[in-house]
Amino acid sequence: MTTRTSDSGPRRRALLAATALAAVGVGMAQPKAAVAAPAARRVRLTLPAPTGPYPVGTVSHRLVDQDRPDPWVASRPSRELMVSVRYPARDVERYPRAAQLLPGEAAGFDRLNNFGGVPKGRVDWAATRTFAHQGAPPARARRGPARPVVLYSPGVGDPRSLGTTLTDELASRGYVVICVDHTYDGSAVEFPDGRVETSRLPEEYERAKREGTVVELLRKTCAVRVADLRFVLDRLEALAPMPLDRSAIGAFGQSAGGFAALQAMHDDRRIAAAANLDGVLAYVEEDQDPGPLSTVAADGVDRPVLTMGKDGNDHHTVPSWGALWEHSSGPRLDLTLLGSAHATYTDATSMLPRIAARLGLPEKVVTDAIGTVAPERAVAVQRAYVPAFFDRELRHRDDAGLLDGPSARYPEVRFVD
Protein backbone atom coordinates (compact mmCIF):
# COMPACT_ATOMS: atom_id res chain seq x y z
CA MET A 1 0.00 0.00 0.00
CA THR A 2 1.06 3.54 -0.38
CA THR A 3 0.83 4.70 3.21
CA ARG A 4 0.97 3.06 6.64
CA THR A 5 2.61 3.48 10.03
CA SER A 6 6.05 2.51 8.81
CA ASP A 7 5.90 4.28 5.46
CA SER A 8 7.26 7.67 4.55
CA GLY A 9 5.75 10.05 7.06
CA PRO A 10 3.42 12.46 5.24
CA ARG A 11 1.62 9.76 3.25
CA ARG A 12 1.34 7.51 6.30
CA ARG A 13 -0.16 10.21 8.50
CA ALA A 14 -2.60 11.24 5.78
CA LEU A 15 -3.89 7.67 5.43
CA LEU A 16 -4.29 7.08 9.14
CA ALA A 17 -6.02 10.40 9.72
CA ALA A 18 -8.40 9.85 6.81
CA THR A 19 -9.26 6.29 7.79
CA ALA A 20 -9.75 7.29 11.41
CA LEU A 21 -12.33 9.86 10.31
CA ALA A 22 -13.97 7.33 8.04
CA ALA A 23 -14.19 4.84 10.89
CA VAL A 24 -16.37 7.22 12.93
CA GLY A 25 -18.31 8.56 9.96
CA VAL A 26 -16.67 12.00 9.96
CA GLY A 27 -15.14 13.88 7.08
CA MET A 28 -15.89 15.31 3.71
CA ALA A 29 -18.82 14.05 1.68
CA GLN A 30 -17.85 11.42 -0.82
CA PRO A 31 -17.82 12.54 -4.46
CA LYS A 32 -20.03 10.69 -6.90
CA ALA A 33 -16.99 8.80 -8.18
CA ALA A 34 -16.69 7.13 -4.76
CA VAL A 35 -20.16 5.55 -4.95
CA ALA A 36 -19.91 1.85 -5.68
CA ALA A 37 -20.26 1.14 -9.38
CA PRO A 38 -22.36 -1.81 -10.61
CA ALA A 39 -20.36 -5.02 -10.50
CA ALA A 40 -20.18 -5.24 -14.28
CA ARG A 41 -18.54 -1.81 -14.49
CA ARG A 42 -16.02 -2.19 -11.68
CA VAL A 43 -12.40 -2.71 -12.63
CA ARG A 44 -11.23 -6.31 -12.51
CA LEU A 45 -7.57 -7.10 -12.09
CA THR A 46 -5.12 -9.86 -12.90
CA LEU A 47 -1.75 -10.74 -11.38
CA PRO A 48 1.42 -11.98 -13.08
CA ALA A 49 1.72 -15.75 -13.33
CA PRO A 50 4.62 -17.29 -11.40
CA THR A 51 7.61 -18.46 -13.41
CA GLY A 52 8.97 -21.39 -11.40
CA PRO A 53 8.78 -25.06 -12.44
CA TYR A 54 6.00 -25.99 -10.00
CA PRO A 55 2.31 -25.14 -10.06
CA VAL A 56 1.19 -23.63 -6.74
CA GLY A 57 -1.22 -24.94 -4.15
CA THR A 58 -2.66 -23.14 -1.14
CA VAL A 59 -4.55 -23.83 2.06
CA SER A 60 -5.65 -21.39 4.77
CA HIS A 61 -5.66 -21.92 8.52
CA ARG A 62 -7.12 -20.21 11.55
CA LEU A 63 -4.65 -20.18 14.45
CA VAL A 64 -5.52 -19.47 18.07
CA ASP A 65 -2.85 -18.58 20.62
CA GLN A 66 -4.48 -19.62 23.89
CA ASP A 67 -1.57 -18.22 25.89
CA ARG A 68 -1.84 -14.66 24.57
CA PRO A 69 -4.81 -12.31 25.02
CA ASP A 70 -5.40 -10.17 21.98
CA PRO A 71 -3.29 -7.03 22.41
CA TRP A 72 -5.68 -4.82 20.39
CA VAL A 73 -9.06 -5.96 21.73
CA ALA A 74 -9.07 -6.54 25.48
CA SER A 75 -12.33 -8.49 25.40
CA ARG A 76 -10.75 -11.28 23.35
CA PRO A 77 -8.92 -13.73 25.64
CA SER A 78 -6.90 -15.34 22.84
CA ARG A 79 -5.02 -14.01 19.84
CA GLU A 80 -6.48 -15.29 16.55
CA LEU A 81 -4.69 -15.23 13.20
CA MET A 82 -5.38 -16.28 9.65
CA VAL A 83 -2.52 -17.61 7.54
CA SER A 84 -2.30 -18.86 3.97
CA VAL A 85 0.21 -21.55 3.07
CA ARG A 86 1.59 -21.50 -0.48
CA TYR A 87 3.47 -24.60 -1.63
CA PRO A 88 4.68 -26.44 -4.73
CA ALA A 89 1.83 -28.58 -5.99
CA ARG A 90 1.66 -31.82 -7.95
CA ASP A 91 -1.70 -31.58 -9.74
CA VAL A 92 -3.79 -28.40 -9.98
CA GLU A 93 -6.16 -29.02 -12.90
CA ARG A 94 -9.10 -30.07 -10.73
CA TYR A 95 -8.56 -27.39 -8.10
CA PRO A 96 -9.87 -23.81 -8.40
CA ARG A 97 -7.60 -20.79 -8.31
CA ALA A 98 -7.86 -19.06 -4.95
CA ALA A 99 -9.21 -15.54 -4.65
CA GLN A 100 -6.74 -12.87 -3.62
CA LEU A 101 -9.31 -11.43 -1.20
CA LEU A 102 -12.43 -13.04 0.23
CA PRO A 103 -15.60 -10.91 0.03
CA GLY A 104 -15.32 -9.57 3.57
CA GLU A 105 -11.64 -8.82 3.12
CA ALA A 106 -12.33 -7.08 -0.19
CA ALA A 107 -14.99 -4.87 1.39
CA GLY A 108 -12.66 -3.93 4.26
CA PHE A 109 -9.81 -3.25 1.85
CA ASP A 110 -12.01 -0.95 -0.22
CA ARG A 111 -13.28 0.82 2.90
CA LEU A 112 -9.78 1.51 4.25
CA ASN A 113 -8.82 2.54 0.71
CA ASN A 114 -5.06 2.30 1.16
CA PHE A 115 -4.43 2.92 -2.54
CA GLY A 116 -4.29 6.69 -2.37
CA GLY A 117 -6.25 8.42 -5.13
CA VAL A 118 -8.34 5.38 -6.11
CA PRO A 119 -12.04 6.12 -5.53
CA LYS A 120 -13.93 3.67 -3.36
CA GLY A 121 -16.38 1.29 -4.92
CA ARG A 122 -14.82 1.32 -8.38
CA VAL A 123 -12.62 -1.80 -8.20
CA ASP A 124 -13.91 -5.35 -7.79
CA TRP A 125 -11.24 -6.43 -5.32
CA ALA A 126 -12.93 -9.80 -4.72
CA ALA A 127 -12.69 -10.76 -8.40
CA THR A 128 -8.89 -11.13 -8.58
CA ARG A 129 -7.70 -14.72 -8.75
CA THR A 130 -4.23 -15.79 -7.73
CA PHE A 131 -2.28 -18.57 -9.43
CA ALA A 132 -2.45 -20.70 -6.28
CA HIS A 133 -4.94 -23.56 -6.47
CA GLN A 134 -7.08 -24.21 -3.43
CA GLY A 135 -6.33 -27.54 -1.77
CA ALA A 136 -4.12 -28.90 -4.55
CA PRO A 137 -2.00 -31.91 -3.52
CA PRO A 138 1.62 -31.07 -2.68
CA ALA A 139 4.49 -32.01 -4.95
CA ARG A 140 6.95 -34.62 -3.85
CA ALA A 141 10.42 -33.23 -3.20
CA ARG A 142 12.87 -34.09 -5.98
CA ARG A 143 15.89 -33.94 -3.70
CA GLY A 144 15.49 -35.04 -0.12
CA PRO A 145 12.32 -35.16 1.95
CA ALA A 146 12.04 -31.59 3.21
CA ARG A 147 11.29 -28.11 1.84
CA PRO A 148 12.61 -24.72 2.94
CA VAL A 149 9.99 -22.44 4.49
CA VAL A 150 9.61 -18.66 4.40
CA LEU A 151 7.26 -16.47 6.45
CA TYR A 152 5.69 -13.38 4.85
CA SER A 153 4.43 -10.34 6.75
CA PRO A 154 2.63 -7.49 4.90
CA GLY A 155 2.77 -3.76 5.56
CA VAL A 156 0.59 -2.09 8.19
CA GLY A 157 -3.01 -1.89 7.00
CA ASP A 158 -2.38 -4.47 4.28
CA PRO A 159 -3.85 -7.96 3.88
CA ARG A 160 -1.50 -10.92 3.73
CA SER A 161 -2.42 -11.34 0.07
CA LEU A 162 -0.94 -8.03 -1.13
CA GLY A 163 2.37 -9.85 -1.60
CA THR A 164 0.86 -12.56 -3.78
CA THR A 165 3.18 -12.07 -6.76
CA LEU A 166 6.28 -12.80 -4.69
CA THR A 167 4.80 -15.47 -2.43
CA ASP A 168 3.40 -17.43 -5.39
CA GLU A 169 6.74 -17.05 -7.16
CA LEU A 170 8.64 -18.53 -4.23
CA ALA A 171 6.18 -21.42 -3.96
CA SER A 172 6.57 -22.11 -7.69
CA ARG A 173 10.30 -22.47 -7.06
CA GLY A 174 9.89 -25.08 -4.34
CA TYR A 175 9.39 -23.06 -1.14
CA VAL A 176 6.63 -23.41 1.42
CA VAL A 177 5.51 -19.84 2.11
CA ILE A 178 3.33 -18.91 5.08
CA CYS A 179 1.57 -15.57 4.64
CA VAL A 180 0.43 -14.06 7.93
CA ASP A 181 -2.50 -11.69 8.52
CA HIS A 182 -2.00 -9.54 11.61
CA THR A 183 -5.54 -9.27 12.97
CA TYR A 184 -6.79 -5.73 13.83
CA ASP A 185 -3.73 -4.38 12.00
CA GLY A 186 -4.57 -5.41 8.42
CA SER A 187 -7.50 -3.76 6.65
CA ALA A 188 -9.79 -6.76 7.19
CA VAL A 189 -9.30 -10.40 8.18
CA GLU A 190 -12.03 -12.91 7.33
CA PHE A 191 -12.30 -16.07 9.44
CA PRO A 192 -13.80 -19.42 8.38
CA ASP A 193 -17.09 -18.71 10.16
CA GLY A 194 -17.56 -15.54 8.08
CA ARG A 195 -16.57 -13.14 10.86
CA VAL A 196 -14.58 -10.17 9.57
CA GLU A 197 -12.27 -8.24 11.89
CA THR A 198 -11.20 -4.81 10.66
CA SER A 199 -8.19 -2.65 11.46
CA ARG A 200 -8.06 -0.84 14.80
CA LEU A 201 -4.92 1.09 13.92
CA PRO A 202 -6.52 4.27 12.55
CA GLU A 203 -8.30 4.94 15.84
CA GLU A 204 -5.23 3.84 17.80
CA TYR A 205 -3.15 6.33 15.84
CA GLU A 206 -5.59 9.18 16.46
CA ARG A 207 -5.51 8.45 20.19
CA ALA A 208 -1.71 8.22 20.18
CA LYS A 209 -1.47 11.62 18.47
CA ARG A 210 -3.73 13.20 21.08
CA GLU A 211 -1.82 11.62 23.95
CA GLY A 212 1.67 12.03 22.51
CA THR A 213 2.29 8.28 22.48
CA VAL A 214 2.98 7.60 18.79
CA VAL A 215 6.37 6.01 19.55
CA GLU A 216 4.72 3.64 22.02
CA LEU A 217 2.12 2.70 19.38
CA LEU A 218 4.85 1.97 16.84
CA ARG A 219 6.66 -0.21 19.39
CA LYS A 220 3.48 -2.11 20.15
CA THR A 221 2.61 -2.61 16.49
CA CYS A 222 5.98 -4.19 15.75
CA ALA A 223 5.99 -6.25 18.95
CA VAL A 224 2.58 -7.73 18.15
CA ARG A 225 3.71 -8.63 14.64
CA VAL A 226 6.89 -10.30 15.89
CA ALA A 227 4.89 -12.29 18.46
CA ASP A 228 2.54 -13.37 15.67
CA LEU A 229 5.43 -14.58 13.52
CA ARG A 230 7.01 -16.49 16.38
CA PHE A 231 3.68 -18.13 17.19
CA VAL A 232 3.41 -19.24 13.56
CA LEU A 233 6.90 -20.75 13.86
CA ASP A 234 5.64 -22.76 16.83
CA ARG A 235 2.91 -24.23 14.62
CA LEU A 236 4.95 -24.98 11.50
CA GLU A 237 4.53 -28.73 11.47
CA ALA A 238 0.75 -28.48 11.77
CA LEU A 239 0.54 -25.92 8.97
CA ALA A 240 2.77 -27.42 6.31
CA PRO A 241 1.29 -29.87 3.79
CA MET A 242 4.72 -31.51 3.34
CA PRO A 243 7.89 -32.08 5.40
CA LEU A 244 9.87 -28.92 6.14
CA ASP A 245 13.58 -28.33 6.54
CA ARG A 246 13.68 -26.73 9.99
CA SER A 247 17.24 -25.59 9.38
CA ALA A 248 16.11 -23.55 6.35
CA ILE A 249 13.60 -21.02 7.66
CA GLY A 250 13.48 -17.51 6.26
CA ALA A 251 11.26 -14.46 6.71
CA PHE A 252 10.50 -11.41 4.60
CA GLY A 253 8.00 -8.62 4.29
CA GLN A 254 7.27 -5.19 2.97
CA SER A 255 7.36 -1.99 5.07
CA ALA A 256 6.38 -2.90 8.64
CA GLY A 257 6.42 -6.52 7.51
CA GLY A 258 10.09 -6.22 6.59
CA PHE A 259 10.78 -4.63 9.97
CA ALA A 260 8.94 -7.51 11.68
CA ALA A 261 10.84 -10.12 9.65
CA LEU A 262 14.24 -8.75 10.69
CA GLN A 263 13.17 -8.18 14.28
CA ALA A 264 11.81 -11.73 14.48
CA MET A 265 15.15 -13.05 13.21
CA HIS A 266 16.91 -11.00 15.91
CA ASP A 267 14.61 -12.44 18.57
CA ASP A 268 14.35 -16.03 17.34
CA ARG A 269 17.27 -18.24 16.32
CA ARG A 270 14.99 -20.45 14.24
CA ILE A 271 15.02 -17.86 11.45
CA ALA A 272 18.17 -18.30 9.37
CA ALA A 273 17.82 -15.39 6.91
CA ALA A 274 15.52 -12.41 6.43
CA ALA A 275 14.70 -9.84 3.75
CA ASN A 276 13.32 -6.36 4.39
CA LEU A 277 11.53 -4.65 1.49
CA ASP A 278 11.67 -0.93 2.35
CA GLY A 279 10.81 -1.15 6.04
CA VAL A 280 12.37 1.37 8.45
CA LEU A 281 13.88 -0.29 11.56
CA ALA A 282 13.21 2.45 14.09
CA TYR A 283 10.11 3.77 15.87
CA VAL A 284 9.87 6.89 13.75
CA GLU A 285 7.43 8.45 11.32
CA GLU A 286 10.03 9.51 8.77
CA ASP A 287 12.51 7.03 7.28
CA GLN A 288 15.38 9.48 7.68
CA ASP A 289 14.70 10.26 11.36
CA PRO A 290 17.54 9.02 13.62
CA GLY A 291 15.68 7.08 16.29
CA PRO A 292 14.67 5.48 18.62
CA LEU A 293 16.13 2.31 17.19
CA SER A 294 14.71 -1.19 17.30
CA THR A 295 16.85 -3.82 18.97
CA VAL A 296 17.59 -5.47 15.60
CA ALA A 297 19.11 -2.18 14.42
CA ALA A 298 20.84 -1.42 17.73
CA ASP A 299 22.27 -4.93 18.23
CA GLY A 300 22.61 -6.15 14.65
CA VAL A 301 22.33 -9.80 13.64
CA ASP A 302 24.76 -12.58 12.82
CA ARG A 303 22.72 -14.15 10.01
CA PRO A 304 22.14 -13.04 6.41
CA VAL A 305 20.09 -9.91 5.72
CA LEU A 306 18.79 -8.42 2.49
CA THR A 307 17.40 -4.90 2.38
CA MET A 308 15.77 -3.62 -0.80
CA GLY A 309 14.80 0.02 -0.65
CA LYS A 310 12.80 2.43 -2.70
CA ASP A 311 14.90 4.87 -4.72
CA GLY A 312 16.76 6.98 -2.14
CA ASN A 313 16.53 4.52 0.77
CA ASP A 314 19.73 2.66 1.66
CA HIS A 315 21.97 2.16 4.67
CA HIS A 316 23.62 5.53 4.08
CA THR A 317 20.37 7.53 4.03
CA VAL A 318 18.14 5.62 6.49
CA PRO A 319 19.75 5.83 9.96
CA SER A 320 18.16 2.62 11.26
CA TRP A 321 19.53 0.68 8.28
CA GLY A 322 22.92 2.27 8.89
CA ALA A 323 22.83 1.06 12.49
CA LEU A 324 21.93 -2.44 11.35
CA TRP A 325 24.89 -2.40 8.94
CA GLU A 326 27.29 -1.14 11.58
CA HIS A 327 26.27 -3.57 14.29
CA SER A 328 25.70 -6.77 12.28
CA SER A 329 28.32 -9.47 11.78
CA GLY A 330 26.40 -11.63 9.32
CA PRO A 331 26.29 -11.26 5.52
CA ARG A 332 24.52 -8.07 4.43
CA LEU A 333 23.23 -7.04 1.03
CA ASP A 334 21.69 -3.62 0.31
CA LEU A 335 19.96 -3.11 -3.04
CA THR A 336 18.08 -0.16 -4.49
CA LEU A 337 15.54 -0.49 -7.29
CA LEU A 338 16.00 2.74 -9.24
CA GLY A 339 12.79 4.61 -9.93
CA SER A 340 10.87 2.68 -7.28
CA ALA A 341 8.62 3.95 -4.49
CA HIS A 342 7.44 2.40 -1.25
CA ALA A 343 4.57 0.31 -2.64
CA THR A 344 6.63 -1.03 -5.55
CA TYR A 345 7.31 -4.04 -3.33
CA THR A 346 3.62 -5.06 -3.26
CA ASP A 347 1.03 -6.13 -5.81
CA ALA A 348 0.27 -2.43 -6.28
CA THR A 349 2.94 -2.57 -8.99
CA SER A 350 0.69 -4.74 -11.15
CA MET A 351 -2.65 -3.35 -10.00
CA LEU A 352 -2.38 0.42 -9.92
CA PRO A 353 -1.41 1.07 -13.55
CA ARG A 354 -4.40 -0.99 -14.69
CA ILE A 355 -6.76 0.80 -12.28
CA ALA A 356 -5.51 4.23 -13.31
CA ALA A 357 -5.87 3.45 -17.01
CA ARG A 358 -9.40 2.12 -16.63
CA LEU A 359 -10.62 4.95 -14.40
CA GLY A 360 -8.72 7.76 -16.07
CA LEU A 361 -6.81 8.66 -12.92
CA PRO A 362 -3.87 11.10 -12.94
CA GLU A 363 -0.43 9.58 -13.52
CA LYS A 364 0.55 10.90 -10.08
CA VAL A 365 -1.70 8.29 -8.45
CA VAL A 366 0.59 5.62 -9.89
CA THR A 367 3.97 7.32 -9.52
CA ASP A 368 3.34 8.39 -5.90
CA ALA A 369 2.79 4.75 -4.99
CA ILE A 370 5.09 2.71 -7.20
CA GLY A 371 7.43 5.31 -8.69
CA THR A 372 8.51 5.64 -12.29
CA VAL A 373 10.09 2.22 -12.80
CA ALA A 374 8.32 0.17 -15.48
CA PRO A 375 5.97 -2.21 -13.62
CA GLU A 376 7.05 -5.28 -15.56
CA ARG A 377 10.69 -4.51 -14.77
CA ALA A 378 9.92 -4.01 -11.08
CA VAL A 379 8.22 -7.40 -10.98
CA ALA A 380 11.14 -9.03 -12.81
CA VAL A 381 13.67 -7.54 -10.39
CA GLN A 382 11.83 -8.75 -7.30
CA ARG A 383 11.32 -12.21 -8.77
CA ALA A 384 15.03 -12.41 -9.49
CA TYR A 385 16.63 -11.05 -6.33
CA VAL A 386 14.37 -12.18 -3.48
CA PRO A 387 14.37 -15.88 -4.51
CA ALA A 388 18.10 -15.67 -5.29
CA PHE A 389 18.74 -14.42 -1.75
CA PHE A 390 16.80 -17.25 -0.15
CA ASP A 391 18.26 -19.81 -2.58
CA ARG A 392 21.76 -18.77 -1.55
CA GLU A 393 21.16 -18.54 2.19
CA LEU A 394 18.62 -21.34 2.81
CA ARG A 395 19.34 -23.83 0.03
CA HIS A 396 23.03 -23.03 -0.50
CA ARG A 397 22.46 -22.91 -4.23
CA ASP A 398 24.51 -21.04 -6.79
CA ASP A 399 22.75 -17.92 -8.08
CA ALA A 400 25.17 -17.52 -11.01
CA GLY A 401 26.67 -14.50 -9.31
CA LEU A 402 23.48 -12.43 -9.37
CA LEU A 403 23.99 -11.28 -5.77
CA ASP A 404 27.68 -10.53 -6.21
CA GLY A 405 27.37 -7.30 -8.16
CA PRO A 406 25.56 -5.35 -10.89
CA SER A 407 23.96 -7.34 -13.68
CA ALA A 408 23.39 -6.27 -17.26
CA ARG A 409 20.07 -8.13 -17.10
CA TYR A 410 18.85 -5.85 -14.31
CA PRO A 411 20.31 -2.39 -14.86
CA GLU A 412 17.62 -0.91 -12.56
CA VAL A 413 19.28 -2.51 -9.52
CA ARG A 414 22.01 -0.61 -7.68
CA PHE A 415 24.29 -2.39 -5.22
CA VAL A 416 24.95 -0.12 -2.23
CA ASP A 417 28.44 -0.48 -0.72
Side-chain angles (χ1 to χ4, degrees):
M1 295 305 178
T2 57
T3 50
R4 52 183 75 84
T5 49
S6 65
D7 293 359
S8 300
R11 293 179 301 167
R12 172 175 60 252
R13 291 192 295 272
L15 168 69
L16 290 172
T19 50
L21 291 174
V24 295
V26 178
M28 298 175 62
Q30 291 292 326
K32 289 184 179 180
V35 176
R41 291 171 47 199
R42 280 181 273 166
V43 178
R44 293 194 166 198
L45 302 167
T46 58
L47 295 170
T51 65
Y54 294 99
V56 179
T58 186
V59 291
S60 295
H61 297 276
R62 168 180 172 261
L63 301 181
V64 181
D65 187 349
Q66 303 284 2
D67 298 326
R68 184 168 49 129
D70 194 281
W72 298 115
V73 180
S75 61
R76 293 204 170 274
S78 301
R79 177 70 168 161
E80 289 183 81
L81 303 174
M82 285 298 300
V83 302
S84 294
V85 183
R86 299 301 216 243
Y87 53 88
R90 182 174 74 250
D91 167 32
V92 298
E93 290 186 5
R94 296 176 291 112
Y95 300 87
R97 286 166 57 182
Q100 185 179 30
L101 292 169
L102 297 175
E105 295 167 339
F109 184 75
D110 191 64
R111 187 164 49 247
L112 191 62
N113 210 23
N114 275 10
F115 282 135
V118 176
K120 297 180 183 180
R122 299 296 303 278
V123 178
D124 190 351
W125 300 110
T128 307
R129 291 295 178 265
T130 71
F131 286 88
H133 295 255
Q134 193 69 45
R140 298 182 180 91
R142 292 175 180 172
R143 298 179 186 176
R147 297 277 183 185
V149 59
V150 178
L151 305 186
Y152 174 75
S153 176
V156 165
D158 289 350
R160 67 189 187 272
S161 58
L162 202 68
T164 291
T165 300
L166 265 180
T167 56
D168 282 4
E169 181 69 21
L170 283 163
S172 79
R173 298 190 186 201
Y175 287 85
V176 174
V177 186
I178 302 177
C179 313
V180 182
D181 253 338
H182 302 286
T183 313
Y184 304 115
D185 175 330
S187 51
V189 181
E190 186 166 341
F191 288 90
D193 62 1
R195 175 168 50 95
V196 179
E197 302 293 355
T198 57
S199 179
R200 300 296 178 95
L201 288 185
E203 60 201 74
E204 292 282 347
Y205 181 74
E206 286 300 301
R207 179 164 57 244
K209 282 203 306 182
R210 291 194 304 270
E211 298 174 356
T213 56
V214 171
V215 169
E216 287 77 5
L217 175 60
L218 296 174
R219 288 185 187 276
K220 178 179 177 179
T221 302
C222 185
V224 171
R225 286 164 157 264
V226 170
D228 289 347
L229 294 179
R230 298 185 71 181
F231 175 63
V232 171
L233 286 177
D234 293 340
R235 299 293 186 270
L236 279 186
E237 300 302 336
L239 294 175
M242 56 184 64
L244 299 178
D245 183 350
R246 297 298 295 262
S247 69
I249 297 174
F252 81 109
Q254 187 264 350
S255 191
F259 184 172
L262 264 63
Q263 186 65 51
M265 182 169 71
H266 171 275
D267 296 352
D268 199 312
R269 300 293 306 181
R270 290 176 290 183
I271 299 176
N276 173 15
L277 307 181
D278 207 47
V280 68
L281 302 175
Y283 305 106
V284 296
E285 294 190 83
E286 302 283 356
D287 294 356
Q288 282 72 34
D289 286 351
L293 295 174
S294 62
T295 53
V296 66
D299 299 342
V301 288
D302 60 358
R303 281 149 288 157
V305 167
L306 166 66
T307 56
M308 288 190 74
K310 68 180 181 182
D311 201 340
N313 274 8
D314 58 47
H315 69 271
H316 299 297
T317 62
V318 179
S320 61
W321 289 17
L324 175 74
W325 245 244
E326 178 183 354
H327 301 135
S328 292
S329 59
R332 300 177 293 291
L333 180 61
D334 188 2
L335 304 177
T336 296
L337 174 54
L338 300 177
S340 66
H342 187 67
T344 303
Y345 298 104
T346 72
D347 291 330
T349 295
S350 301
M351 292 174 151
L352 266 178
R354 169 74 170 165
I355 295 169
R358 284 287 307 276
L359 299 182
L361 302 178
E363 183 181 1
K364 191 173 186 296
V365 170
V366 176
T367 57
D368 279 357
I370 65 171
T372 57
V373 62
E376 64 276 10
R377 294 301 303 166
V379 170
V381 163
Q382 293 173 70
R383 285 176 161 177
Y385 285 89
V386 174
F389 170 74
F390 286 121
D391 278 352
R392 175 179 283 193
E393 305 302 348
L394 299 183
R395 294 168 132 175
H396 310 294
R397 289 186 177 178
D398 180 22
D399 55 31
L402 183 66
L403 302 182
D404 295 334
S407 168
R409 288 182 295 157
Y410 304 102
E412 308 91 341
V413 176
R414 181 169 68 91
F415 282 67
V416 183
D417 295 328

